[in-house]
């Protein structure tokens, strides 16, 4: 028993067996309840929104790969004025969430972030990639 | 205690985490494992308060639908800080008492749980069972939680929402009554 209160541990095993027998539930067929609960669970969880890509197993790897790609692109173009513009969170679209994801990654400068944000806002989030 | 009928190695905590945060398919499967693992316990608890299996089945269904509604997208999710049975017990008990009130199975709408008769057949187990059935419901409930359900005193305090000292007091009196009844002598024969 988890507790060690001597005064409360003094019920003989025979009494415990009797308690268990008295309390024992009869055999009950629960098939209808099984079905009802199962159907309710299926329906409720089906209403759950698809998880963002970064929350799937391997999502972080995909995110890291996207960040690496962004970095490579930024370095290769080396234009200084080139704006980072990528689906950083692998959501299927480029929007303000990508700016936030890039900011959290710490790989972009404030200037790059600002430019990215301005472009996202200017395009009103309609561009996809 | 409920017997495991599903050989899923995951703990209740792990299954609840999937229900909170898994995909629709994973969550439904995890919930099914939780249901099958604990349905016997909930049914047993229900039959402590209701006199027939039909009502107990209603209690079983309502208890798990309540649990289901705690998970997203219907609810905020569950953070389990104790055993799942400590969550299921008060839900099953309250659902059973509500079912009794709705069914007008007792003369007054304000029936206290302590006035309810235990849904057992004392004749089946002799004098000792009759002594247990004759215990005040509050003492019997604590004895069952402690010695049949295997809950710690702290867990009993939590599920009944009463102070730990009250749990000890009820348990102590209940044990004394059983021991002093004399029926225990028959058990040892």
């Amino acid at each position: 028993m988890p507790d060690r209160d001597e005064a409360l541990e003094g019920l003989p095993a025979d009494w415990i067996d009797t308690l268990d027998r008295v309390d024992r539930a009869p055999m009950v067929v629960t098939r209808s309840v099984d079905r009802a609960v199962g159907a309710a669970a299926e329906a409720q969880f089906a209403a759950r929104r698809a998880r963002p890509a970064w929350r799937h197993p391997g999502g972080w790897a995909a995110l890291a790969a996207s960040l690496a790609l962004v970095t490579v692109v930024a370095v290769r173009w080396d234009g200084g004025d080139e704006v980072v513009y990528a689906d950083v969170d692998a959501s299927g679209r480029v929007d303000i969430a990508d700016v936030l994801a890039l900011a959290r990654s710490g790989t972009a400068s404030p200037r790059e972030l600002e430019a990215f944000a301005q472009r996202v806002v200017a395009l009103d989030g309609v561009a996809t990639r | 205690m409920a017997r495991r009928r599903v050989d899923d190695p995951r703990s209740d905590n792990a299954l609840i985490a999937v229900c909170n945060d898994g995909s629709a398919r994973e969550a439904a499967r995890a919930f099914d494992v939780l249901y099958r693992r604990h349905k016997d316990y909930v049914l047993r608890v229900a039959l402590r308060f209701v006199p027939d299996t039909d009502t107990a089945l209603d209690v079983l269904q309502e208890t798990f639908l309540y649990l289901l509604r705690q998970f997203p997208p219907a609810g905020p999710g569950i953070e389990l800080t104790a055993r799942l049975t400590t969550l299921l017990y008060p839900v099953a008990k309250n659902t059973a008492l509500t079912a009794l009130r709705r069914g007008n199975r007792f003369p007054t709408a304000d029936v206290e749980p302590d006035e309810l008769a235990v849904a057992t057949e004392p004749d089946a187990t002799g004098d000792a069972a009759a002594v247990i059935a004759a215990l005040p419901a509050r003492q019997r409930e604590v004895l069952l939680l402690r010695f049949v359900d295997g809950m710690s005193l702290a867990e009993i305090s939590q599920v009944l929402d009463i102070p730990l000292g009250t749990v000890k007091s009820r348990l102590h009196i209940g044990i004394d009554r059983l021991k002093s009844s004399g029926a225990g002598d028959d058990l040892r024969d």
Side-chain angles (χ1 to χ4, degrees), chain B residues 38-59:
Chain B
H38 293 286
K39 69 174 180 177
D40 288 348
Y41 176 71
V42 171
L43 203 54
R44 186 167 181 157
V45 169
L47 285 166
R48 291 176 189 172
F49 299 97
V50 301
D52 62 273
T53 54
D54 283 346
T55 310
L57 285 171
D58 290 343
V59 172

Side-chain angles (χ1 to χ4, degrees), chain A residues 6 12 16 21 35 46 56 59 64 68-69 73-74 80 84 86 96-97 105 115 124:
Chain A
E6 291 294 328
I16 296 174
R21 278 202 306 277
R35 279 199 298 267
H56 284 283
L69 176 63
V73 168
V84 175
I96 198 68
S105 73
D124 200 21

Side-chain angles (χ1 to χ4, degrees), chain A residues 83-84 96 99 112-123:
Chain A
V83 174
V84 175
I96 198 68
V99 181
E112 288 171 325
L113 289 172
E114 185 180 346
F116 188 6
Q118 283 178 354
R119 185 163 181 186
V120 166
V121 172
L123 294 175

Side-chain angles (χ1 to χ4, degrees), chain A residues 1-5 7-12 14-16 18-42 44-49 51 55-57, chain B residues 18-22 24 27-28 31 35-36 39 43-44 47-48 53 57 60-61 65 68-69 71-74 120 125 128-129 132 144 146-148 152-153 168 171-172 175 178-179 181 183-184 187-188:
Chain A
M1 293 289 181
D3 295 302
R4 297 292 178 197
D5 192 330
L8 299 175
E9 298 296 344
L11 191 63
D14 291 339
W15 271 114
I16 296 174
T18 305
L19 273 171
D20 189 60
R21 278 202 306 277
V22 166
D23 185 57
R24 192 167 295 154
M27 290 297 292
V28 178
V29 178
T30 61
R31 203 172 299 125
S32 62
V33 180
D34 297 350
R35 279 199 298 267
V37 170
E42 294 274 355
Q44 172 168 318
F45 290 126
R48 181 174 286 183
R49 285 177 52 195
R51 290 182 294 172
R55 294 183 69 183
H56 284 283
Chain B
V18 174
C19 290
N20 280 334
D21 206 27
F31 190 82
Y35 168 74
R36 293 183 186 281
K39 69 174 180 177
L43 203 54
R44 186 167 181 157
L47 285 166
R48 291 176 189 172
T53 54
L57 285 171
L60 173 65
Q61 180 170 315
L65 291 184
L68 179 63
R69 287 194 295 270
F71 294 114
T120 57
T125 45
I132 290 169
L144 289 171
R146 175 66 166 162
F147 295 110
V148 177
S152 69
L153 301 185
K168 290 182 179 181
L171 202 50
H172 193 75
I175 290 171
L178 293 184
K179 282 181 171 178
S181 68
L187 291 172
R188 290 184 201 92

Side-chain angles (χ1 to χ4, degrees), chain B residues 51 55 96-111:
Chain B
T55 310
L97 295 177
T98 301
L100 283 176
R101 292 188 180 106
R102 281 184 185 154
N104 290 324
R105 295 169 190 276
F106 288 84
T108 69
D110 297 326
V111 60

